[in-house]
Amino acid sequence: MNVDTDDSAADGGELRRRHVPTNSVDSEVDDNGSDVLEAPKNRKTFGRTKDGIVFTVPTTHDMVSQLLDPREPKNISDVIVLAVLAVHILAAYFLPDPLRRYTFAVIFLFWRASYNLGIGILLRLQSNDNKLVAWATKWKLFENPSTGRNPRPWLYNLLKRELETKIPEDYQFETAPIEYNAWLVFRRLVDLILMCDFVSYCLFAIACGHHPDGESVPVTITRWFIGWSLIGFNLWVKLDAHRVVKDYAWYWGDFFYLVDQELTFDGVFELAPHPMYSIGYAGYYGISMLAASYAVLFISIAAHAAQFAFLVLVENPHIEKTYNPPAPRKRQDTAESETASLSGSVGPAVSPPDRLPSRIHKLLGYKNIDLLRNVDYSTFLLIAYLTALTIVTPQTPLYQSLFFLHAFLWRLWYSVGLGIILNQQSANKMWTRHFLKFGETVDDSWRQWKGMYHISQTLCHFAFMAACWKMYSAPVDWNYGFVLLRHVIGASLIALQIWTAVSIYESLGEFGWFFGDFFYDQGAKLTYTSIYRFLNSPERVIGTAGLWGAAIITWSRSIFVLALASHLFTVGFLQFVEKPHMQKIYGRSLRREAGLTKFIKRSLPPPVAEWQSSVNKVMDETSHFVEDFLDTARPKLAAGVSTIVRDTTALFNKYPARLTLTKLSPDLAGFDPKHYSITVEGEASGLSALSERASGKEGTAGRFPNELKTMIFEYGAPIKVSWRAPAKHGRKDWIGLYMVADNRSREITELSSLGRWIPTVPGQFESTTADKGIMVWDQPVADSGNTDVDLVGGEMVFSGDKQWWTQGVFEFRYHHDGNHNVMSISQPFEIHIGRFDYNDIEVDSEEGTFQQAVESALLPVVQNCLDRDPDIAPSASAEKFGSHVERDGKYAKRLVYAIHQMFGVEFAPAVVPADGSVGNLAWRICNAKQVLYVVFEGNHDADGKGLAT
């Protein structure tokens, strides 16, 4: 079922989906709705750097042909790569057998780590801070020696000769942008790592390869046939993927520059998501079969998993940031803004709003488990009872039969029973009518259905797992026969089903997962993103793969029967419940063929395609006959019836490594800390921050505090830092923001700043992220107290991710030349969130007065939490938040914390993107206060009704 209620986003199931303006290349659409790109073969490709420089992208060739084809020109880097490969091969030839296996296991793991970890780190640095280009600029790698500014002319000439040898036609080293030259140098490093990674893996497989004792000839032939088939398939996948993405995307060119060109994602990209990293590793398992070695198999699985981690942690974030940025925030019309200003309110006082904020308490996912909710509580109890029975009962034939029957009945109810209910709901709204009869709403019936379906689905799967537990016996000898292989294959199939379910849920959301278009006639639309790009009904093909995996692991006839029955029930549900309803609701909007189906049909020989068309015709006629028969028999059959996801980073943030210096840096000689100073400016918090200190709990003398000069700033507001230092201060001096109590020493900072730092001089750390916030640097200043020392000063602003998003007492520390030696510490200051005082609100007969007051107090807090970015933060209470709020959960977490401290109401972070505006949040706050505190002292309207404070 592929329905959704939101606008479809960029296709998450494609590897390196490069979106560019549609007018760059003319395209047509074929009869099946797929994009067909038509462009001249000799059309030039234009590149564009981050600075806006446009250049013609020279033609490059793939790594293997350039390296191994004797007709291609060779350079020193090619000789180095070939020499390293030759050393690998010679080592494999001369090392003795036991040592050879262990040596090449270590060598392969080293090159795999160099790939996924080393290249991954370099690409992350390049994506976030343009680091590789900054290094090239700092080291003057591409600075022409004729200018006199290149300290290494020999390296410049070497790089020029190396790169121009590889691209002899339309490339000039001197005129190419630095980003393109940096990418070409990066390519040579990638060539070395990828070639050594592949060769070392093959040599490890050869070292481990053997013929199993007692293996029959048919098994050997089958093993070799499947192995070579997987290798051939892998080769085709890589070649076809390179045909589509070219060298530009193959070598991660868009981390350095962009091209004004659109790629046609056909061929292998219609076969599977992320083909180069998913099915593109089929050859690993083919080689494992040829080697007949579990060691090769397990190291292949580890390498494949590392590649997926590379995809998730490196490529996907860059693709999302580059090609699918958040849409611009919808701003309020000018006329509406003027009306709001004339009325004296920040936004329209709507109480309640025209459209109630959507509910965000979802059912699926471990993060959404709430044992105070009836559905989750009931599900937990049922699972607990079933688990206890499974563990305490003996593993006898009687109990095995009972657990088999139990799992079968749950599957029958889940597929057939719920299928009948949905069928009736589709035909005559039976489920909705039942709840309307008792005065409830459509939303009530929808929630009740979701609860029933969720419990049924969960118990169906847990009953199957309980039956598997009863049928499973741990092997005595894991090396006997295919025991270990069965467990590996079974676990892989289970992982495939879990991935399928997660992909379906990410594409459909809860609305589609729980068949929302059976209950709501409007608001649903088709979506063909993620896994639905390749399959129309993933559940039919791979949605039950885990059941077959469990059957293979247990190797039990009963579980095989359960898996077969479950698969048949699933297919029947799709055919007789979901498909008719989809045709009824969406009609011709339904896509006839998915990407995988179209790819297979295009790949079939003409005779086979003709035969397949005939078979489809017969199947369609048979299907129509069965449907007509069931439609005719349904009244007679019904007459007698009365009535089943942003850590290492978080871990490091929670437990940061401590860095303690035991002695001062020797380069501090000549620098006097009294010549350094820091002053802090920010937006002062309200008077409530000071008044809260005199609460009446103190002694008599403590109730009359002295005049306070404490700096108290607003939560999330930018903080301006001005600094002074000697004119010869370290070029890598930096200022960090810390909690006062975090550092015991005043001379050395013991903790990492965790990103909350700014250098005093830009361009010293090759990081655009670090330089954000610098306003002025190294400006001469006059200081009468230091006539013998020339001083300079600067200013910087700490905002956004460079702030602490909590209350507390903080300080800025000026550090010397890239180290943690402290030269100056600012005056401590406090970040405070003032509590909203309902007693100051003038109460009249209109409930909107409270909401307007809450909106006025909440709007500046929201703007601070959203970094005061006009693309994210609203300027009025009725304006919507920018789409960044939905993508990055940090904004919602900042805001719900502030609301909790300010209004005393605790919300889940998901509330913020669901409400989407200050007005809706204010309404929700007022509603929550009214529900939690019905009567409040001193706050009654004219009718004596209690109002929230």
Side-chain angles (χ1 to χ4, degrees):
M1 185 173 190
N2 47 348
V3 295
D4 199 358
T5 54
D6 301 325
D7 294 338
S8 59
D11 187 355
E14 302 175 32
L15 177 66
R16 301 183 187 171
R17 177 67 170 177
R18 312 310 192 193
H19 301 280
V20 298
T22 56
N23 58 0
S24 60
V25 180
D26 295 334
S27 62
E28 297 179 358
V29 180
D30 64 5
D31 296 336
N32 295 325
S34 62
D35 294 339
V36 178
L37 187 68
E38 294 183 356
K41 291 184 178 181
N42 296 327
R43 180 181 182 270
K44 290 184 178 181
T45 301
F46 294 96
R48 188 183 304 272
T49 68
K50 294 182 179 180
D51 297 332
I53 300 175
V54 179
F55 65 100
T56 301
V57 180
T59 303
T60 57
H61 302 283
D62 64 275
M63 166 181 57
V64 178
S65 64
Q66 282 192 331
L67 193 64
L68 302 180
D69 191 345
R71 297 170 297 180
E72 294 290 335
K74 300 294 184 290
N75 54 17
I76 297 179
S77 59
D78 291 333
V79 175
I80 294 175
V81 173
L82 292 174
V84 173
L85 297 180
V87 171
H88 284 68
I89 297 173
L90 291 175
Y93 181 78
F94 287 106
L95 285 175
D97 187 36
L99 182 61
R100 181 170 53 194
R101 289 197 298 268
Y102 296 117
T103 301
F104 276 94
V106 173
I107 292 175
F108 171 67
L109 292 177
F110 168 78
W111 288 116
R112 175 54 53 168
S114 299
Y115 180 6
N116 297 135
L117 184 61
I119 294 179
I121 291 175
L122 291 178
L123 289 177
R124 284 277 291 186
L125 293 173
Q126 175 62 22
S127 176
N128 295 335
D129 296 316
N130 204 28
K131 203 75 164 184
L132 300 184
V133 175
W135 286 342
T137 304
K138 175 183 177 181
W139 298 332
K140 298 180 173 59
L141 294 181
F142 309 114
E143 188 79 29
N144 198 318
S146 61
T147 62
R149 294 192 297 267
N150 192 326
R152 293 170 289 271
W154 63 270
L155 182 57
Y156 175 89
N157 295 326
L158 175 63
L159 292 175
K160 172 180 168 64
R161 183 171 60 254
E162 288 288 301
L163 300 182
E164 289 186 346
T165 300
K166 284 297 181 182
I167 317 175
E169 299 177 359
D170 49 359
Y171 169 73
Q172 289 185 349
F173 182 77
E174 296 87 351
T175 59
I178 187 174
E179 290 83 359
Y180 186 76
N181 285 337
W183 176 65
L184 292 180
V185 174
F186 173 75
R187 278 188 54 164
R188 304 313 294 162
L189 175 64
V190 172
D191 288 344
L192 173 64
I193 293 176
L194 294 188
M195 288 300 297
C196 292
D197 174 80
F198 176 72
V199 171
S200 61
Y201 172 81
C202 293
L203 294 175
F204 172 71
I206 293 173
C208 296
H210 70 289
H211 186 278
D213 296 334
E215 183 181 76
S216 62
V217 175
V219 174
T220 302
I221 295 175
T222 303
R223 177 167 59 84
W224 278 73
F225 175 77
I226 296 176
W228 282 112
S229 298
L230 289 175
I231 294 173
F233 175 72
N234 193 157
L235 181 60
W236 171 81
V237 169
K238 295 293 187 180
L239 292 176
D240 197 60
H242 187 271
R243 174 189 63 83
V244 174
V245 302
K246 308 293 190 301
D247 278 4
Y248 170 70
W250 188 275
Y251 286 99
W252 304 282
D254 56 355
F255 282 74
F256 297 82
Y257 64 95
L258 299 178
V259 295
D260 295 336
Q261 172 185 345
E262 186 163 355
L263 303 179
T264 306
F265 285 86
D266 57 0
V268 69
F269 285 89
E270 294 179 325
L271 188 59
H274 315 297
M276 289 193 293
Y277 294 165
S278 56
I279 58 176
Y281 272 70
Y284 270 35
Y285 304 104
I287 294 176
S288 300
M289 297 190 71
L290 296 180
S293 169
Y294 284 114
V296 180
L297 176 61
F298 289 134
I299 209 170
S300 301
I301 295 174
H304 201 173
Q307 195 64 30
F308 276 123
F310 177 85
L311 171 69
V312 173
L313 299 177
V314 179
E315 283 211 13
N316 281 349
H318 177 78
I319 294 171
E320 191 74 9
K321 176 178 69 176
T322 305
Y323 299 101
N324 191 25
R329 183 177 62 83
K330 295 181 179 179
R331 290 173 169 80
Q332 192 177 18
D333 294 338
T334 305
E336 186 178 351
S337 300
E338 292 177 354
T339 303
S341 301
L342 291 174
S343 63
S345 63
V346 180
V350 185
S351 182
D354 297 334
R355 180 185 66 83
L356 294 181
S358 59
R359 294 180 175 87
I360 48 85
H361 208 178
K362 298 180 179 180
L363 281 176
L364 296 183
Y366 69 93
K367 292 183 179 180
N368 294 316
I369 296 176
D370 185 356
L371 294 181
L372 300 181
R373 183 169 50 186
N374 286 336
V375 174
D376 293 347
Y377 177 72
S378 303
T379 304
F380 175 78
L381 286 181
L382 291 171
I383 292 175
Y385 275 115
L386 179 57
T387 303
L389 286 172
T390 305
I391 295 175
V392 302
T393 55
Q395 204 163 347
T396 61
L398 175 60
Y399 281 99
Q400 287 178 339
S401 301
L402 290 177
F403 274 86
F404 169 82
L405 181 62
H406 179 249
F408 181 81
L409 292 177
W410 268 113
R411 174 59 65 174
L412 188 66
W413 164 250
Y414 173 64
S415 297
V416 179
L418 297 183
I420 293 174
I421 294 176
L422 283 177
N423 221 334
Q424 292 299 311
Q425 173 69 11
S426 176
N428 52 37
K429 299 293 182 183
M430 179 271 294
W431 184 272
T432 303
R433 289 177 182 271
H434 172 78
F435 288 93
L436 292 177
K437 180 173 65 176
F438 294 97
E440 299 187 65
T441 65
V442 176
D443 291 341
D444 294 326
S445 68
W446 164 240
R447 286 195 296 273
Q448 294 295 334
W449 161 257
K450 289 199 300 182
M452 175 182 283
Y453 184 85
H454 180 65
I455 293 176
S456 301
Q457 184 182 52
T458 305
L459 267 295
C460 177
H461 290 306
F462 270 89
F464 181 83
M465 288 188 285
C468 292
W469 179 268
K470 286 299 179 184
M471 306 295 177
Y472 176 74
S473 297
V476 179
D477 185 4
W478 286 88
N479 295 320
Y480 175 77
F482 296 103
V483 171
L484 186 56
L485 182 61
R486 286 196 288 106
H487 284 73
V488 172
I489 295 176
S492 301
L493 291 175
I494 293 172
L496 177 60
Q497 178 170 339
I498 294 174
W499 172 82
T500 301
V502 171
S503 299
I504 292 174
Y505 180 74
E506 288 179 349
S507 180
L508 303 183
E510 290 215 343
F511 184 85
W513 184 272
F514 291 107
F515 307 94
D517 58 349
F518 281 76
F519 298 85
Y520 297 93
D521 295 331
Q522 298 178 353
K525 62 179 181 295
L526 291 168
T527 177
Y528 291 112
T529 60
S530 187
I531 194 172
Y532 285 100
R533 178 174 184 262
F534 312 96
L535 297 168
N536 280 342
S537 298
E539 305 95 327
R540 186 191 302 270
V541 182
I542 55 178
T544 57
L547 306 180
W548 295 105
I552 293 174
I553 292 176
T554 59
W555 208 246
S556 167
R557 293 181 182 177
S558 301
I559 303 302
F560 271 103
V561 172
L562 270 180
L564 178 60
S566 300
H567 199 150
L568 293 177
F569 282 142
T570 300
V571 173
F573 179 89
L574 295 173
Q575 186 68 28
F576 300 113
V577 178
E578 187 173 305
K579 184 177 179 180
H581 180 77
M582 298 280 287
Q583 292 174 339
K584 171 185 174 182
I585 298 297
Y586 303 105
R588 297 183 178 180
S589 304
L590 286 173
R591 182 181 62 181
R592 297 185 60 185
E593 296 176 344
L596 178 59
T597 305
K598 290 189 293 184
F599 171 79
I600 293 176
K601 284 187 174 182
R602 288 199 301 263
S603 302
L604 292 175
V608 179
E610 184 177 352
W611 174 81
Q612 188 260 352
S613 178
S614 301
V615 172
N616 285 345
K617 182 178 180 181
V618 174
M619 293 297 294
D620 289 340
E621 293 176 353
T622 305
S623 176
H624 293 152
F625 169 77
V626 173
E627 291 176 359
D628 293 340
F629 173 79
L630 292 177
D631 289 338
T632 304
R634 185 177 289 111
K636 297 181 180 180
L637 294 175
V641 181
S642 57
T643 53
I644 215 134
V645 237
R646 127 89 130 156
D647 359 89
T648 304
T649 304
L651 181 63
F652 282 121
N653 287 339
K654 187 175 181 181
Y655 303 106
R658 292 182 175 271
L659 176 62
T660 303
L661 303 179
T662 57
K663 61 180 181 179
L664 297 179
S665 178
D667 60 352
L668 287 177
F671 293 97
D672 191 343
K674 70 180 182 180
H675 297 153
Y676 296 79
S677 64
I678 305 176
T679 57
V680 181
E681 299 177 24
E683 295 185 8
S685 181
L687 296 177
S688 61
L690 299 178
S691 61
E692 289 174 3
R693 300 191 177 187
S695 59
K697 300 188 293 292
E698 304 82 3
T700 303
R703 299 178 186 178
F704 304 96
N706 298 323
E707 181 182 358
L708 297 176
K709 297 182 179 180
T710 304
M711 293 189 297
I712 304 178
F713 298 150
E714 287 287 350
Y715 173 78
I719 301 175
K720 180 181 177 181
V721 178
S722 301
W723 58 270
R724 287 188 178 187
K728 296 182 179 180
H729 70 92
R731 302 296 293 174
K732 287 191 174 183
D733 288 1
W734 58 280
I735 297 176
L737 175 60
Y738 300 88
M739 282 189 170
V740 169
D742 281 351
N743 287 284
R744 297 170 296 177
S745 172
R746 309 295 285 175
E747 290 80 22
I748 297 175
T749 298
E750 300 173 312
L751 295 178
S752 168
S753 64
L754 300 177
R756 304 178 183 97
W757 67 281
I758 298 177
T760 57
V761 180
Q764 301 303 309
F765 291 89
E766 297 88 32
S767 173
T768 55
T769 302
D771 292 345
K772 289 181 180 178
I774 300 178
M775 300 176 62
V776 180
W777 67 94
D778 284 357
Q779 297 295 313
V781 295
D783 191 345
S784 58
N786 295 283
T787 57
D788 57 333
V789 178
D790 295 330
L791 300 179
V792 294
E795 295 178 354
M796 57 185 63
V797 175
F798 283 75
S799 61
D801 293 337
K802 298 194 176 184
Q803 287 186 308
W804 285 85
W805 291 94
T806 186
Q807 298 185 100
V809 181
F810 304 89
E811 64 186 6
F812 287 100
R813 291 182 164 219
Y814 188 109
H815 300 87
H816 172 70
D817 205 20
N819 297 314
H820 285 72
N821 303 109
V822 179
M823 307 304 293
S824 179
I825 300 178
S826 72
Q827 176 185 345
F829 60 93
E830 181 179 353
I831 300 297
H832 179 78
I833 304 175
R835 294 190 64 84
F836 185 78
D837 192 353
Y838 291 86
N839 294 317
D840 293 339
I841 303 175
E842 296 181 2
V843 181
D844 56 22
S845 59
E846 296 182 4
E847 296 181 359
T849 302
F850 282 94
Q851 183 171 335
Q852 292 176 14
V854 172
E855 289 179 7
S856 300
L858 186 61
L859 180 60
V861 176
V862 171
Q863 292 172 337
N864 287 341
C865 292
L866 302 187
D867 294 341
R868 299 187 178 182
D869 187 339
D871 289 332
I872 311 176
S875 58
S877 61
E879 289 188 358
K880 296 295 183 182
F881 302 153
S883 55
H884 299 69
V885 176
E886 297 182 5
R887 293 198 177 189
D888 198 336
K890 66 182 180 183
Y891 299 110
K893 292 177 182 178
R894 296 173 183 175
L895 189 49
V896 295
Y897 172 79
I899 292 175
H900 188 202
Q901 302 299 318
M902 189 172 184
F903 299 97
V905 179
E906 186 175 5
F907 290 140
V911 167
V912 175
D915 285 356
S917 69
V918 174
N920 286 343
L921 276 175
W923 177 86
R924 194 185 288 271
I925 292 170
C926 294
N927 185 62
K929 297 293 286 188
Q930 290 174 347
V931 172
L932 296 175
Y933 308 101
V934 178
V935 179
F936 302 91
E937 297 180 1
N939 286 313
H940 295 272
D941 61 10
D943 299 327
K945 297 179 180 179
L947 296 174
T949 62

